[in-house]
Amino acid sequence: MLDPGKTYNTAVEVTLEVIGGKWKPVILFHLTFGKKRNGELMSLMPTVTQKVLTQQLRELEEDGVVTRFSYNQVPPKVEYELSEYGWSLKELLHFMCRWPQKRGLSQLSRLREDRSEERGDLL
């Protein structure tokens, strides 16, 4: 969430303030493929907790990146989609997905191995 009293020295800081963290980029990436309900997002991200997902969605909504649609029906139906502002992140999010492949890192385990080697960790 952007802090109006905070001084940002670069645009990268502002970007990371809005979309930074473990789950926000993942949520936004999934929303580039269309509206999603909470349960859909939970199934696409099986290791996120409901509490964290709800918190991240609220922050993205407060920052104007995500739009929440609540339908007046029983059972309740809520959907999330990228706002116009959020859609401006699509190219960045998809580039982030392609970046590891450009390095020849098609699997997360390989990325972790590379990090371990750089630090000199024992596997």
Side-chain angles (χ1 to χ4, degrees):
M1 220 170 358
L2 286 176
D3 179 357
K6 185 173 179 179
T7 301
Y8 298 96
N9 297 309
T10 68
V12 172
E13 291 177 70
V14 176
T15 304
L16 289 175
E17 190 80 17
V18 175
I19 69 164
K22 182 175 181 178
W23 295 111
K24 286 182 184 179
V26 178
I27 293 166
L28 294 169
F29 171 75
H30 288 303
L31 292 178
T32 64
F33 297 101
K35 287 183 184 178
K36 299 282 184 274
R37 294 181 71 175
N38 187 286
E40 290 176 286
L41 289 169
M42 288 291 295
S43 66
L44 290 166
M45 302 180 303
T47 57
V48 71
T49 65
Q50 182 62 63
K51 178 183 176 183
V52 170
L53 178 60
T54 299
Q55 177 186 356
Q56 300 292 280
L57 285 166
R58 283 185 184 147
E59 289 177 12
L60 289 167
E61 184 182 6
E62 288 173 14
D63 286 334
V65 180
V66 167
T67 304
R68 180 181 187 267
F69 294 96
S70 182
Y71 300 93
N72 189 17
Q73 67 183 50
V74 176
K77 179 179 176 182
V78 176
E79 293 180 319
Y80 297 92
E81 76 173 344
L82 294 176
S83 65
E84 185 177 333
Y85 179 48
W87 278 110
S88 67
L89 295 166
K90 181 181 177 181
E91 188 176 327
L92 173 65
L93 293 164
H94 285 253
F95 178 79
M96 288 171 64
C97 291
R98 291 188 306 270
W99 181 77
Q101 295 168 347
K102 289 184 179 201
R103 288 189 62 210
L105 301 171
S106 59
Q107 296 180 358
L108 181 59
S109 60
R110 180 126 178 249
L111 179 59
R112 288 183 178 152
E113 287 173 15
D114 288 354
R115 286 183 184 162
S116 294
E117 288 173 11
E118 288 172 7
R119 292 190 313 250
D121 294 350
L122 297 175
L123 296 177

